[in-house]
Amino acid sequence: LISLTPSKRSVFTTLGSRTLAVYCTHYCFIYILFDLFDLKGALASALPSAWHFALIAVGVLVTFICSNKWFDKGVSFLMNYKIKLKKE
């Protein structure tokens, strides 16, 4: 598997370095889209024969949104934030 890994940088290399942001934030988008707005039902009624492909497209879109550099900066800030507790 390592021999198949490319040695040059690409768009996927940049997105792959932000996996923590995707991992931490994607569930919020999935919850909003599927539980609050019932996206699966809306796609099934709008595209009866191709709603599976639309769900894949939504997943890819959510991944690209969550791998945005702004999400990565926010998640990195939260993960590296040190809270100092006072001893009383």
Side-chain angles (χ1 to χ4, degrees), residues 11-12 15 18 22 57-69 71:
V11 174
F12 298 112
L15 297 178
R18 300 178 185 149
V22 174
V58 167
V60 169
L61 183 66
V62 166
T63 302
F64 277 106
I65 290 172
C66 291
S67 63
N68 188 329
K69 68 179 178 178
F71 277 93

Side-chain angles (χ1 to χ4, degrees), residues 40-75:
K40 185 178 177 183
L43 288 175
S45 64
L47 304 167
S49 62
W51 66 273
H52 294 93
F53 299 113
L55 282 180
I56 292 170
V58 167
V60 169
L61 183 66
V62 166
T63 302
F64 277 106
I65 290 172
C66 291
S67 63
N68 188 329
K69 68 179 178 178
W70 297 106
F71 277 93
D72 185 48
K73 284 183 181 182
V75 170

Side-chain angles (χ1 to χ4, degrees), residues 3-68:
S3 66
L4 298 176
T5 305
S7 59
K8 347 182 233 188
R9 296 184 57 86
S10 68
V11 174
F12 298 112
T13 307
T14 305
L15 297 178
S17 67
R18 300 178 185 149
T19 55
L20 181 63
V22 174
Y23 179 76
C24 291
T25 57
H26 81 282
Y27 188 75
C28 297
F29 285 105
I30 298 298
Y31 177 77
I32 290 168
L33 291 174
F34 288 94
D35 289 344
L36 296 180
F37 294 121
D38 190 29
L39 182 67
K40 185 178 177 183
L43 288 175
S45 64
L47 304 167
S49 62
W51 66 273
H52 294 93
F53 299 113
L55 282 180
I56 292 170
V58 167
V60 169
L61 183 66
V62 166
T63 302
F64 277 106
I65 290 172
C66 291
S67 63
N68 188 329

